[in-house]
Structures are given as structure tokens and as C-alpha cells.
Amino acid sequence: MRPIYESSADIENEKACAEYIQKRNSDCALYKLPKLSCFDYAVCSNDALTCFIEIKCRNNPKQKYKTYMISKRKVDLAIYLYQLVKIPTVLFVRWSDACGMLNISTAKGITSTGGRKDRGDPKDIEKVVHFNVGLFS
């Protein structure tokens, strides 16, 4: 089994982002999904599931990189769920200087091999999708 790299600070950052999203969408309710779920939150409005949210917090400014990289496995699942039941998945990213959202169920990205190299875990290198940061609203 792979190690879980999520720290208590990561959990607190994710909660802060969820609160930020909730304040701006008061007509919706966010529900934290179980640990190791593919996405972080389910969003409901009028007792109906409206979308899933994946939250990422970064320490760099939004424009440091031209693209945002995420696991292709997550994007593939987002696309599958959208095709199957028409429920989108939104990627919410908090950079050091901005926040942005992108519907990864329908957005176009570029697939490559990539990932983290700072932890020395060879399983961190995988197929990824790069989304232009200009697509985030």
C-alpha cells in the first residue's frame, strides 16, 4: 500500500478552501467525502447532487507555471461520471495569490507523463493532464 502524504496542514487548508467555496455558494451544501475517495467533496443543492469538487492548495503564484497538472486518473473518472450521470467535477485550486475553478469533466487539456519528484516515490510519476491556468475562473 502507498503511503498517505496528506498532512494535518493539508487537511486544514482543504477545509479553509471548502469554507471559501461554501460562502460564495450559500444555496449549496458541501459534504466531505471519505478519506482516499477520488474527489474531496460532493455538492448538493435542493437535496440533489450537483457536482464533485477536488481541492488543491499550492504555495506558488498562479502564473508561475503555464499549466496546472493533475492525475489523468482523476480527470478520466471526472469525464466518466459526467458521461454516465451528467454530474461534473470541478477542480478548485488555491494558489498563493489567487483561487480558480475549472470543470475538468469537459475542459480540454494535454496528456503527458509527469508528477512529483521531491518525495522520492516512483509511484508519484504517472500519466497527468495539463490544463492552461488561463482556463481557471
Side-chain angles (χ1 to χ4, degrees), residues 49-100:
L49 179 62
T50 57
C51 75
F52 294 102
I53 298 179
E54 176 68 9
I55 295 175
K56 299 292 187 181
C57 299
R58 296 294 173 253
N59 296 318
N60 58 277
K62 183 178 180 182
Q63 298 301 326
K64 181 172 182 177
Y65 303 105
K66 292 180 182 180
T67 63
Y68 184 85
M69 177 178 64
I70 187 169
S71 168
K72 185 176 184 303
R73 183 180 59 82
K74 284 189 185 272
V75 175
D76 287 346
L77 180 58
I79 292 167
Y80 176 75
L81 285 171
Y82 187 72
Q83 290 172 342
L84 186 67
V85 292
K86 297 298 183 224
I87 296 173
T89 299
V90 174
L91 172 61
F92 177 90
V93 181
R94 185 187 74 189
W95 289 276
S96 62
D97 62 346
C99 294

Side-chain angles (χ1 to χ4, degrees), residues 2 113-117 121-128:
R2 287 195 71 196
T113 299
R116 297 181 68 147
K117 297 177 183 168
D121 186 342
K123 291 186 179 178
D124 280 346
I125 306 302
E126 61 182 326
K127 291 289 183 187
V128 296

